[in-house]
Amino acid sequence: MNWVFLILAGVFEMMGVLMINKLHKDRNFLSAFYLLAGFGLSFLFLSLAMETLPMGTAYAVWTGIGASGGAILGMIFYSEPRNTARILFIAMVLGSAVGLKLVS
């Protein structure tokens, strides 16, 4: 169950990152609320996951999901560059997160 919490933490981290950009564009209460909710839920689920998972593994997987997910969402929603090298490095980050799960 703690791996599910960790994945949820990463998904909410992605939401928080996405909302940072939205808040810069819209500057309204709803964007700020979603930003705080995304990061708040992210930290909540990360703390639940870290009850049994090693801190280093949990933090690395959480940041990997958040960073790669933020980059992918930027490509989808904000027309950020979609070149082969960028996609390769995102895949490497995700592959490292999966590798950490396999060895823990």
Side-chain angles (χ1 to χ4, degrees):
M1 189 67 183
N2 291 314
W3 282 101
V4 173
F5 288 151
L6 188 57
I7 291 169
L8 284 171
V11 169
F12 283 114
E13 179 77 7
M14 290 169 34
M15 177 183 152
V17 169
L18 192 64
M19 290 299 109
I20 290 173
N21 202 9
K22 182 150 179 58
L23 183 64
H24 281 289
K25 291 180 185 230
D26 293 343
R27 297 270 182 205
N28 60 35
F29 175 77
L30 198 56
S31 296
F33 173 77
Y34 287 142
L35 173 103
L36 293 173
F39 284 127
L41 289 168
S42 177
F43 285 122
L44 172 70
F45 283 113
L46 177 63
S47 68
L48 292 173
M50 287 177 60
E51 288 180 359
T52 59
L53 296 175
M55 178 194 65
T57 301
Y59 182 72
V61 171
W62 175 66
T63 56
I65 293 170
S68 58
I72 291 168
L73 291 175
M75 287 187 255
I76 294 169
F77 293 112
Y78 298 109
S79 301
E80 292 181 0
R82 297 180 178 112
N83 57 44
T84 305
R86 188 171 181 166
I87 293 169
L88 172 69
F89 288 120
I90 290 170
M92 289 171 65
V93 169
L94 291 174
S96 298
V98 169
L100 282 170
K101 192 232 182 287
L102 293 175
V103 299
S104 67

